[in-house]
Amino acid sequence: MHQLLQIPQAVRINSLFTAFEMHAAPEFVFRGESHDFYELVVVLSGSVGVTAGSDSFILHEGSAILHPPMEFHSLHAALGSSPTVRIFTFCATSVPVYHKRIFSLSPKTREASEQILTLLKSAAEWQGIHLIGAAEGRERQLVEAARLMEILLLRLDEIKKAPEAVYETTGARNYAHALSVLESNLTRSLDTAELAALCHMSSSLLKKTFSKYAGMGVMEYFRTQKVLAAIPMLRGGQSVAETALHFGFSDAGYFSTVFRRITGHTPGYYRNR
């Protein structure tokens, strides 16, 4: 009897959320965010500055980055260019383990991303950049687009990775330092002036730094990181009131309001999952 060849479980796209191509002005800054699904950013032309967690990069034409779930990230036009990017967000299982998550795209991979977007434009019902369902009679094409995305993700692991172009500017160093300070103080109730003092920066410089690299204010970023850090505690069974107090929120109701604004869900949603 012949032994069957066992095929390892490949990446599986479970849901597609958004897909779009965008041409940005030189002064463009995309507001930082984090979400519980993957995001693939493909740079078609120009250069973009990318913040991924505590790291900052400049990606050039033909590069891409994959943001994993719950990673805070933002992007902005860089080096005076007017970049064009193609972005896909999706939920997936068994995604390959990438070391840097920064890729140099081959012509075939770049064409594949264009083919996926073209298929989705004709096979899906849209609400802005959001996919909300299959167009009538186009279910098979929608499945084909998902399978092409799976192939694209598998190929990313096989192509030459772009060098990690980390910013070495004073601003980037200030940002990285400020992130470490904020992370070390997530359980405290601090205002902008107090955070600036801990970072050894003026309040105006701290605000300017976060506006550039995070695409949002320092206090909003601080609250976002508190909420992200609270999710594992809630999943572990901690009560909403206890979790709120742990992260410096004296009012559980206000914590729940902030939590829902940032994640789109109530704290109870994560506590019950």
Side-chain angles (χ1 to χ4, degrees), residues 10-136:
V11 58
R12 177 72 177 180
I13 300 292
N14 302 318
S15 307
L16 289 161
F17 299 119
T18 62
F20 62 97
E21 190 171 303
M22 175 183 67
H23 182 71
E27 65 276 8
F28 173 78
V29 177
F30 182 80
R31 175 185 174 82
E33 62 180 3
S34 55
H35 38 63
D36 56 0
F37 43 86
Y38 288 89
E39 180 170 319
L40 179 67
V41 180
V42 178
V43 185
L44 301 175
S45 67
S47 300
V48 296
V50 177
T51 297
S54 60
D55 297 321
S56 297
F57 312 93
I58 293 182
L59 298 183
H60 305 289
E61 179 178 342
S63 298
I65 184 167
L66 180 66
H67 297 292
M70 305 314 293
E71 176 180 76
F72 179 85
H73 56 279
S74 65
L75 63 85
H76 60 272
L79 306 181
S81 68
S82 299
T84 300
V85 297
R86 188 175 291 146
I87 297 177
F88 301 95
T89 62
F90 55 90
C91 184
T93 54
S94 302
V95 175
V97 177
Y98 304 112
H99 298 294
K100 295 183 178 180
R101 298 178 287 107
I102 302 173
F103 312 99
S104 179
L105 300 182
S106 67
K108 277 191 175 181
T109 310
R110 182 167 169 167
E111 289 170 11
S113 72
E114 182 177 2
Q115 187 178 0
I116 292 166
L117 186 57
T118 300
L119 265 173
L120 290 175
K121 285 180 177 178
S122 63
E125 294 286 350
W126 294 77
Q127 188 173 57
I129 62 173
H130 298 272
L131 290 80
I132 58 174
E136 186 176 354

Side-chain angles (χ1 to χ4, degrees), residues 138-196:
R138 304 288 290 178
E139 291 81 3
R140 289 169 57 184
Q141 286 79 6
L142 197 59
V143 173
E144 182 182 353
R147 299 296 84 84
L148 283 173
M149 178 63 77
E150 293 169 357
I151 293 170
L152 172 60
L153 292 172
L154 288 171
R155 285 179 175 172
L156 287 177
D157 200 33
E158 300 173 353
I159 60 178
K160 183 180 178 181
K161 294 179 177 63
E164 212 166 341
V166 181
Y167 275 133
E168 291 296 343
T169 63
T170 300
R173 288 193 291 270
N174 285 341
Y175 180 67
H177 172 65
L179 291 186
S180 66
V181 171
L182 267 62
E183 186 174 348
S184 300
N185 289 277
L186 291 180
T187 58
R188 300 178 64 186
S189 178
L190 300 170
D191 59 23
T192 302
E194 291 168 326
L195 287 171

